[in-house]
């Protein structure tokens, strides 16, 4: 199951060569990206209010010493405002 966050809160994302390496999720210790599961771009509304976002589905590590993902989430980079947001959390 997943939970869509509406409105999507802003998050701090560290990226290397465009790919997220750390996501600072509010009230969670999981920040290191251990898996990138999908990436896609959404662009629409050029005739009214434009929308341009890069979405990432990521696995985030848990406490130190863990190897696999402890949390799966979707973040997006709003290409118009140049801000990162947390869009969805997966159980």
């Amino acid at each position: 199951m997943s939970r869509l966050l509406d409105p999507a809160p802003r998050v701090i994302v560290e990226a290397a060569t465009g790919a997220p390496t750390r996501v600072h999720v509010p009230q969670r210790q999981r920040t290191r990206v251990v898996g990138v599961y999908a990436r896609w771009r959404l662009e629409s509304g050029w005739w009214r209010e434009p929308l341009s976002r890069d979405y990432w589905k990521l696995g985030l590590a848990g406490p130190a010493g863990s190897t696999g993902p402890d949390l799966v989430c979707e973040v997006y980079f709003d290409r118009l405002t140049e801000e990162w947001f947390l869009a969805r959390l997966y159980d």
Side-chain angles (χ1 to χ4, degrees), residues 2-51:
S2 68
R3 183 172 57 129
L4 182 65
L5 304 175
D6 186 27
R10 280 192 208 122
V11 289
I12 297 170
V13 174
E14 297 173 29
T17 63
T21 57
R22 291 192 171 278
V23 179
H24 300 276
V25 179
Q27 301 176 358
R28 294 188 185 256
Q29 295 178 358
R30 304 164 183 100
T31 58
R32 188 171 43 93
V33 174
V34 294
V36 175
Y37 305 124
R39 179 185 180 194
W40 65 98
R41 179 169 288 167
L42 177 65
E43 292 185 297
S44 73
W46 55 267
W47 60 93
R48 53 177 200 272
E49 186 175 334
L51 178 72

Side-chain angles (χ1 to χ4, degrees), residues 10-11 52 76-85:
R10 280 192 208 122
V11 289
S52 182
Y76 68 85
F77 179 71
D78 187 318
R79 296 167 51 86
L80 302 176
T81 65
E82 297 186 355
E83 296 175 302
W84 287 93
F85 294 89

Side-chain angles (χ1 to χ4, degrees), residues 7-8 25 33 38 50 53-54 65 70-71 74 79 89-90:
V25 179
V33 174
R53 298 176 179 172
D54 290 329
D70 193 42
L71 175 70
E74 279 178 22
R79 296 167 51 86
L89 295 173
Y90 291 86

